[in-house]
Amino acid sequence: MIKPELFQYVNESVNDWKLAIKVASKPLVENKIVLVEFISKLISETIRLGPYYILTENIALGHISPDKSILQNSLSLTIFSKAISFKNDGKHNVKFLFMLTSLDSNAHMTIMSKFAVILSNENFRNRLNDVESYQDWLNLYEEYKGIK
């Protein structure tokens, strides 16, 4: 589901949600999954709509509607060592920033529905806190990918 080159654990302090989006998007740009314009579009949408992609405490699925800045369907994961505030209300903090890119609405919904099933599992969400490496992620994902 997430390739090794699209996983990163960020130990440095990131104090700004815009920087968090830029950091999380970097592997997508470097691997030619999105154009750099994807980043500004996601930031603009967040300013306009608020952090609509925060799914639950500390977990977000950053995405925009399919458009020309997206070159491939993909899912990436950036884990920040400390949660970042995406809104100054104490409720919109993100430590796990998944990034979804999709070329069309069907791919968008397919990836989101698979993702939602796994994230609906409380044990999975709790164990996500122990992930600090790609191998940790892979082990966790392999354990939970078959849940329905």
Side-chain angles (χ1 to χ4, degrees):
M1 188 173 200
I2 295 173
K3 297 176 183 174
E5 62 271 18
L6 300 179
F7 174 92
Q8 59 182 336
Y9 184 88
V10 178
N11 213 7
E12 303 91 47
S13 181
V14 176
N15 297 319
D16 173 74
W17 66 266
K18 291 178 187 175
L19 180 57
I21 288 173
K22 291 174 185 175
V23 168
S25 298
K26 186 177 178 189
L28 298 171
V29 173
E30 289 175 347
N31 287 281
K32 297 179 177 33
I33 291 166
V34 299
L35 300 174
V36 73
E37 292 82 12
F38 172 87
I39 300 167
S40 58
K41 288 179 181 185
L42 182 54
I43 289 171
S44 294
E45 287 296 286
T46 304
I47 291 168
R48 189 170 72 84
L49 301 171
Y52 59 90
Y53 42 77
I54 296 179
L55 305 175
T56 187
E57 183 181 351
N58 284 324
I59 301 173
L61 179 61
H63 64 282
I64 61 172
S65 296
D67 81 352
K68 293 180 181 176
S69 68
I70 299 170
L71 305 175
Q72 296 179 46
N73 295 327
S74 188
L75 187 64
S76 68
L77 172 57
T78 299
I79 301 174
F80 298 96
S81 60
K82 294 182 182 167
I84 298 141
S85 175
F86 274 62
K87 194 172 180 182
N88 293 330
D89 63 0
K91 298 177 186 174
H92 293 86
N93 298 324
V94 174
K95 183 176 178 185
F96 306 95
L97 183 49
F98 292 86
M99 298 292 269
L100 167 66
T101 63
S102 50
L103 294 169
D104 59 58
S105 297
N106 288 336
H108 189 87
M109 292 311 297
T110 299
I111 295 169
M112 284 187 77
S113 63
K114 287 180 182 178
F115 190 76
V117 169
I118 291 175
L119 270 186
S120 67
N121 186 291
E122 186 177 353
N123 289 331
F124 175 85
R125 291 191 313 270
N126 290 336
R127 299 231 355 251
L128 192 56
N129 286 305
D130 298 327
V131 174
E132 292 185 355
S133 69
Y134 182 72
Q135 190 60 52
D136 292 344
W137 161 254
L138 201 56
N139 292 342
L140 181 63
Y141 177 71
E142 287 296 319
E143 184 176 337
Y144 286 89
K145 73 178 182 182
I147 64 170
K148 300 200 186 301

